[in-house]
Amino acid sequence: MSRQYRIAVVEDEHNILEVITYNLRREGYRVLEARDGVEGIDMIRREKPDLALLDIMLPGMDGLQICQSIKTDVSLRHIPVLMVTARSEESDVVLGLGIGADDYIVKPFSPRELVARVRASLRRLGQSTDDGRTVVSVGGLRLDSERHRFHVGEEQIELTASEFQIMNLLMRSPGRVFSREDILSLTGSSGGIVIERNIDTHVKSIRRKLGDSRDLVETVRGVGYRFRED
Ligand code: CA
């Protein structure tokens, strides 16, 4: 049986909150509710849900600010954010602001549409298991640590154990810079990574294998490497 996804819903309008929670629970999701923005972000920080559904106009802190707080926090940014907007023009604003919202849904929405959007966002997140994400998809790359497979678009690419470990580390935290020392300590030496300068060789090889996607792995001069943040 697949695990139960936890969805944080921040919505101050009682009727809408009720419709959302009823429909998501009926689909088997666990719903965590908050009616206030500050309460909402506190709950999200504490619970680290699988997805956040945010209304825009909220007391305390608005949905855009909550989204921004999620997307600028390294421990939360992987959480897909679905904004609930009042009008379709508002949704254009949401996506145009660059606050990192993953999708939006316009009020009034049908339960069927709501569930479809939630499912789609969770699917994009990748298949999860109880012990964390085994599949990471970002920038058109897909890494499956359970099966030790790596894809660029539809094409499967062979990575060495060390290259795989480096990509696993970088892809799980896009935008975060890892020094060579970080990479050594966080990947362990089991994959054959022995000395710091070897990391440069591995990265060079990874880039060659990435082809047109090579720019996703960025060099941060004098510091280390990071996976490009979109
Ligand atoms: Ca509202």
Side-chain angles (χ1 to χ4, degrees):
M1 187 183 153
S2 63
R3 85 176 172 128
Q4 196 179 26
Y5 284 108
R6 294 178 312 132
I7 301 175
V9 180
V10 189
E11 169 63 79
D12 60 324
E13 284 162 78
H14 181 75
N15 292 342
I16 297 177
L17 181 62
E18 207 166 39
V19 169
I20 294 174
T21 54
Y22 172 79
N23 284 287
L24 292 180
R25 283 183 181 138
R26 204 178 53 171
E27 289 296 312
Y29 297 117
R30 215 182 115 205
V31 182
L32 313 162
E33 328 169 1
R35 291 187 169 78
D36 168 276
V38 176
E39 196 189 308
I41 186 68
D42 285 348
M43 177 178 81
I44 290 164
R45 287 195 178 115
R46 191 176 61 240
E47 302 287 340
K48 300 201 170 30
D50 298 295
L51 182 139
L53 198 67
L54 310 173
D55 183 27
I56 294 187
M57 299 294 285
L58 291 165
M61 185 180 187
D62 70 38
L64 301 174
Q65 290 173 292
I66 299 177
C67 179
Q68 213 151 18
S69 303
I70 292 172
K71 295 301 179 181
T72 53
D73 184 326
V74 176
S75 67
L76 303 176
R77 68 194 333 161
H78 64 276
I79 299 172
V81 174
L82 208 60
M83 302 297 301
V84 179
T85 69
R87 298 181 306 277
S88 58
E89 307 90 78
E90 211 175 79
S91 55
D92 293 339
V93 174
V94 168
L95 296 184
L97 282 176
I99 54 166
D102 297 86
D103 202 357
Y104 62 86
I105 184 163
V106 182
K107 287 183 203 175
F109 46 82
S110 67
R112 182 199 290 259
E113 191 184 356
L114 168 77
V115 170
R117 290 298 174 89
V118 166
R119 271 209 202 113
S121 288
L122 289 171
R123 201 163 43 229
R124 277 197 294 274
L125 177 70
Q127 290 143 354
S128 299
T129 64
D130 284 328
D131 44 19
R133 290 184 299 157
T134 62
V135 177
V136 190
S137 293
V138 51
L141 309 185
R142 186 169 184 277
L143 182 139
D144 182 337
S145 46
E146 201 170 48
R147 295 182 181 79
H148 209 275
R149 279 189 193 144
F150 182 75
H151 284 82
V152 176
E154 299 299 312
E155 197 190 351
Q156 189 175 333
I157 306 286
E158 290 299 326
L159 295 182
T160 65
S162 303
E163 293 166 358
F164 195 90
Q165 285 182 309
I166 292 172
M167 286 309 281
N168 192 25
L169 184 68
L170 298 181
M171 285 173 67
R172 279 170 195 273
S173 302
R176 179 173 163 192
V177 184
F178 293 91
S179 66
R180 290 168 183 80
E181 200 183 345
D182 286 337
I183 295 174
L184 271 182
S185 60
L186 293 168
T187 55
S189 56
S190 58
I193 298 173
V194 186
I195 47 174
E196 285 189 21
R197 71 168 178 272
N198 276 355
I199 290 171
D200 297 330
T201 311
H202 291 312
V203 170
K204 206 169 159 186
S205 168
I206 289 169
R207 283 189 178 134
R208 202 175 53 238
K209 293 177 180 179
L210 290 181
D212 291 341
S213 301
R214 63 172 63 236
D215 292 340
L216 289 172
V217 178
E218 300 180 315
T219 300
V220 182
R221 265 187 173 286
V223 189
Y225 297 100
R226 76 173 160 223
F227 195 87
R228 196 174 76 199
E229 194 175 19
D230 279 313

